[in-house]
Amino acid sequence: MTRVLGWLAAAGLVIGLVMAFVIAPREVTQGHVQRIMYVHVPTAWVAYLAFAVVFVASIVYLARRSATADRLAHASAEVGVVFTGVTIASGSIWGKPTWGTWWTWDARLTSVAILFIMYLGYLLLRGMIDERERGARYAAVLGIIAALDIPLVHFSVYWWRTLHQPPSLMKPGGASTMPAPIVAALLVNLAAFTLLYAYFVARRTRLLARQQQALA
Amino acid sequence: MPDNWSFVIAAYAIAAVALGGYWRRLVRLERDVERRNARPRRPR
């Protein structure tokens, strides 16, 4: 199953690249640099998804003390941190030619940086506590608290005046105004990166189970 | 606006290095666990 997910993700990423560089047209205002969107937006979406999974799995862990839920939260947080890092890096690279700066402390960028640091802290916390049950409990509490930043990140572009543009797809109460080939390329890449997330989490979760068995 | 292909390539390259690096890390960790499990355990 994991292997199938991996191959599906690889195929999806290849198709996504073709969509991003061949099918999607050159954007009129920004030129080809807009093609960064096809990696920046999907990785941001996966980061939201990953931390939402941490939130739900943490609640399940605290309610039922399920080791599976704990492993899922741990794996999802780790993968989420990787994807958030890619989101920040690709956004910074996109920002330089379009805004004239690599970084600015606007509400969207700052809230994403806080999200990144909180989940890094989550992983550090897990690594610091040797006693598995106690580490899992503390991490679950932090996983729930840190997830409160997700709506802040998403709605920051509406609640504050920001340099960052509003969401491309998930606009509250409004359809996208982007041309169909751009939307299609974005959706294919969203699906491909989501598959990659599922593959990484499945593999990491299984690995955590084997590591715990080896230590037991 | 100029096309800035170097920025596009840099963004995709960083994504490939980060995600590929994570995949390699998982492969390495799996190999470590397999090696540890294959080692005969000392009787307690």
Side-chain angles (χ1 to χ4, degrees):
Chain A
M1 180 64 190
T2 310
R3 195 177 285 261
V4 174
L5 261 179
W7 282 112
L8 280 175
L13 289 172
V14 172
I15 297 168
L17 274 176
V18 173
M19 294 290 288
F21 285 94
V22 182
I23 309 291
R26 179 183 182 277
E27 208 265 340
V28 180
T29 322
Q30 294 188 30
H32 288 299
V33 79
Q34 175 271 341
R35 293 184 199 277
I36 294 175
M37 181 181 79
Y38 305 115
V39 67
H40 178 70
V41 174
T43 51
W45 145 252
V46 169
Y48 283 173
L49 173 69
F51 299 141
V53 168
V54 176
F55 176 72
V56 174
S58 299
I59 291 173
V60 172
Y61 176 76
L62 289 179
R64 297 188 188 167
R65 292 290 189 265
S66 153
T68 309
D70 176 51
R71 285 195 290 267
L72 177 62
H74 187 169
S76 193
E78 197 176 284
V79 177
V81 164
V82 175
F83 276 88
T84 310
V86 174
T87 304
I88 292 172
S90 59
S92 176
I93 294 168
W94 194 4
K96 181 62 182 167
T98 49
W99 300 340
T101 181
W102 298 102
W103 184 265
T104 177
W105 292 103
D106 96 335
R108 168 59 72 86
L109 276 72
T110 307
S111 54
V112 170
I114 291 168
L115 192 73
F116 184 61
I117 291 164
M118 279 200 292
Y119 282 95
L120 270 181
Y122 173 97
L123 295 176
L124 276 175
L125 180 73
R126 296 202 78 117
M128 272 164 42
I129 301 172
D130 287 335
E131 194 192 322
R132 203 193 68 77
E133 208 281 322
R134 194 157 62 99
R137 200 170 63 235
Y138 289 176
V141 173
L142 183 57
I144 292 166
I145 295 168
L148 300 177
D149 192 34
I150 300 171
L152 199 72
V153 172
H154 188 71
F155 292 107
S156 59
V157 286
Y158 297 108
W159 293 341
W160 291 282
R161 248 181 21 175
T162 62
L163 195 56
H164 196 285
Q165 68 182 61
S168 307
L169 283 176
M170 291 185 285
K171 293 179 178 176
S176 170
T177 52
M178 290 188 294
I182 292 182
V183 174
L186 189 55
L187 290 176
V188 166
N189 277 289
L190 277 173
F193 279 94
T194 307
L195 282 170
L196 184 64
Y197 159 78
Y199 167 67
F200 278 160
V201 168
R203 212 164 162 173
R204 186 69 179 110
T205 308
R206 198 181 56 191
L207 179 61
L208 282 167
R210 290 171 68 190
Q211 282 173 327
Q212 284 166 7
Q213 274 172 8
L215 288 173
Chain B
M1 183 182 271
D3 281 328
N4 293 304
W5 274 111
S6 55
F7 287 90
V8 179
I9 293 163
Y12 278 82
I14 283 178
V17 167
L19 298 172
Y22 185 71
W23 176 73
R24 280 181 58 125
R25 179 174 180 269
L26 290 182
V27 171
R28 191 171 44 80
L29 287 173
E30 277 170 355
R31 224 175 279 153
D32 286 351
V33 170
E34 267 165 33
R35 210 173 299 145
R36 205 177 304 153
N37 287 349
R39 228 180 284 158
R41 288 194 179 192
R42 233 185 303 162
R44 293 184 189 187

